[in-house]
Amino acid sequence: MSKLTVAVLFGGQSSEHEVSRMSATTILSNMDPEKYYIIPVGITKAGQWMIYNGPVEKISTGEWETFGTPAVLSPDASQKGILRLVGGKVKEIPIDVAFPVLHGLYGEDGTIQGLLELAKIPYVGCGVLSSAVSMDKTFTKIIAKHARIPQAAYVALQSKDRAKPQILRQIERKLGYPVFVKPANAGSSVGVSRAADRQQLEQALEVAAKEDWKILVEREIRGREVECAVLGDHTKAEASGVGEILSAGKFYDYHSKYEDENSRTVIPADLPEETVKTIRRLAVKVFESVDGCGLARVDFFVEEGTNQVIFNELNTMPGFTSISMYPKLWEERGLALPDLIDRLIELAMQEAQRMGHYHG
């Protein structure tokens, strides 16, 4: 079998730029050079694209930018590749498949997927629609409601309305306190706050408004935070086991995830067999409800007292850092990270063939 040329995209313009660099470092370190010609392509916070040829460890530190060569991904479907720009000359580098290891805005929201679709380049992960509705938590809520998936009560609003007394009253009347306030489009718990009274609610809405023009306010669910990984495509998706998050903070915010060494994950979670079955079933149902493809991590609460499984959110390009749950959940099922990467690339190629069949 001939080697595939894989462009691994990392960095990006989102608030999760640093997390993306960590994820890409893990993925690049676990790709088999016997199977792939690997082309790391970094995107700076300012949005500049560069092919990177330096040591993999300089990606996570941010030093990679000094080693980069300017490049762009061409939307021209006849080229199917990266254009490297050196000294006024353009060199075409054809690629077989892209692995967009990009978290958050411009990476997980359908935008990079749309560019890759235009270029007719197969890519790892969910498609344009699936990525967009999964990134926007308000649309994910609508889809989950329609699919009758249990979730927390919520109020969605535009950031411009955050100080209106009638909006604040609606939140208090429908949800009570405490609540969680989230930007509709952000990941890694960026801009998320917990509010236990009116003053904290107003402050939390201000914090969320800095990240997005839409805000989601949810009733707090008291219980255990668990996660389940999904792998597959439109023909068949399977769920991993279940992992539990033991956050060092009051909730699993950005600091608790990536900076506090006291946060832990437990795999497999110590849960009743029936609860694990429900989580796995609902994880696949959520994935299928948003037309998921490739991968997703689906997050739930197991409510205190009732043991009810309540959907929280899904992530269509979950982290691949050294502490990330997604690869660890599959490792626990016997699928090592290099094999998981192979499977994701294989699914990307299969999906491209399937879509090519429909689009001629």
Side-chain angles (χ1 to χ4, degrees), residues 117-167:
E117 295 268 359
L118 280 173
K120 286 197 162 43
I121 295 170
Y123 57 91
V124 170
C126 291
V128 177
L129 174 71
S130 177
S131 299
V133 298
S134 300
M135 183 70 194
D136 188 315
K137 295 179 182 70
T138 59
F139 280 100
T140 314
K141 286 278 190 185
I142 292 165
I143 291 167
K145 184 178 179 180
H146 182 74
R148 298 188 176 182
I149 293 161
Q151 61 184 340
Y154 69 96
V155 171
L157 63 137
Q158 292 190 12
S159 298
K160 66 181 177 61
D161 298 329
R162 64 189 179 277
K164 289 182 177 177
Q166 64 268 35
I167 295 290

Side-chain angles (χ1 to χ4, degrees), residues 6-12 19-21 23-24 27 31 39-43 49 73 95 97-117 121-128 131 293-295 315-320 344-345 348:
V6 183
V8 177
L9 313 181
F10 66 88
V19 182
S20 169
R21 295 201 321 248
S23 291
I27 286 168
M31 289 181 74
I39 303 174
V41 180
I43 304 169
W49 289 51
L73 192 149
I95 59 176
V97 60
F99 196 147
V101 191
L102 299 165
H103 307 308
L105 293 175
Y106 308 119
E108 213 172 338
D109 59 358
T111 49
I112 191 73
Q113 290 78 11
L115 177 57
L116 291 163
E117 295 268 359
I121 295 170
Y123 57 91
V124 170
C126 291
V128 177
S131 299
C293 185
L295 73 164
N315 192 311
T316 55
M317 186 52 70
F320 278 82
L344 289 168
I345 290 170

